């Protein structure tokens, strides 16, 4: 179910089937050009979609050259999801070495995934021992 969103975020947002899309890049790797920024640009310019870049806090003891920058897009009517996602990503980043099921569920809900897809994602993490 989540795979249906990957690579199809803009279309789903324009159909009002996805309230928020999230992309990220690492400045040190100079990989921002792989993001679909140009595709989203006209919709950001006309106000249908809101966009914000967000630098996640670098976890203590991590090399700051590997700073992750998130690019968040929300439908205008769902713009509240951007600050909520920033809070969730900050919490996740501060807890980087130990994934948290609750934070992962919140992120999935903010991105607009249905409960069964989130449950399946979480179960795959449980099966892999991610939440120990």
């Amino acid at each position: 179910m989540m795979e249906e969103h990957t690579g199809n975020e803009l279309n789903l947002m324009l159909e009002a089937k996805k309230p928020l899309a999230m992309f990220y890049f690492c400045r040190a790797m100079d990989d921002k050009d792989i993001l679909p920024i140009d595709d989203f640009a006209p919709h950001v310019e006309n106000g249908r979609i809101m966009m914000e870049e967000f630098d996640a806090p670098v976890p203590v003891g991590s090399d700051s050259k590997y700073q992750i920058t998130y690019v968040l897009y929300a439908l205008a009517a769902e713009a509240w999801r951007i600050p909520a996602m920033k809070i969730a990503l900050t919490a996740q980043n501060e807890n980087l070495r130990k994934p948290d099921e609750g934070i992962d569920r919140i992120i999935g809900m903010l991105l607009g995934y249905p409960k069964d897809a989130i449950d399946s994602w979480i179960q795959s993490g449980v099966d892999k021992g991610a939440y120990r």
Side-chain angles (χ1 to χ4, degrees):
M1 173 101 24
M2 290 182 173
E3 298 81 20
E4 296 169 3
H5 287 226
T6 304
N8 198 29
E9 293 88 355
L10 179 58
N11 288 334
L12 290 170
M13 290 182 80
L14 295 176
E15 295 170 6
K17 294 179 181 176
K18 183 170 185 61
L20 177 74
M22 175 177 66
F23 303 94
Y24 59 91
F25 65 95
C26 177
R27 292 187 192 280
M29 299 179 79
D30 195 29
D31 58 352
K32 185 176 182 177
D33 62 333
I34 65 171
L35 303 184
I37 292 171
D38 292 342
D39 297 336
F40 278 85
H43 308 287
V44 171
E45 288 171 14
N46 72 21
R48 184 169 182 192
I49 294 177
M50 306 285 103
M51 183 273 256
E52 188 171 334
E53 284 191 22
F54 167 66
D55 290 329
V58 178
V60 174
S62 297
D63 190 338
S64 63
K65 75 178 182 179
Y66 295 109
Q67 171 74 54
I68 299 295
T69 298
Y70 292 91
V71 181
L72 306 172
Y73 294 98
L75 295 174
E78 300 287 341
W80 64 269
R81 291 173 187 266
I82 290 176
M85 181 61 84
K86 289 169 59 177
I87 292 168
L89 292 171
T90 298
Q92 179 187 56
N93 213 37
E94 290 175 356
N95 199 29
L96 189 61
R97 288 175 180 77
K98 185 175 183 320
D100 184 280
E101 178 182 338
I103 295 170
D104 288 347
R105 285 186 181 281
I106 290 167
I107 290 171
M109 292 183 328
L110 288 169
L111 290 169
Y113 293 118
K115 184 181 181 316
D116 60 329
I118 296 169
D119 289 344
S120 177
W121 175 261
I122 295 298
Q123 187 59 53
S124 72
V126 169
D127 294 346
K128 294 174 186 173
Y131 299 110
R132 291 187 189 159

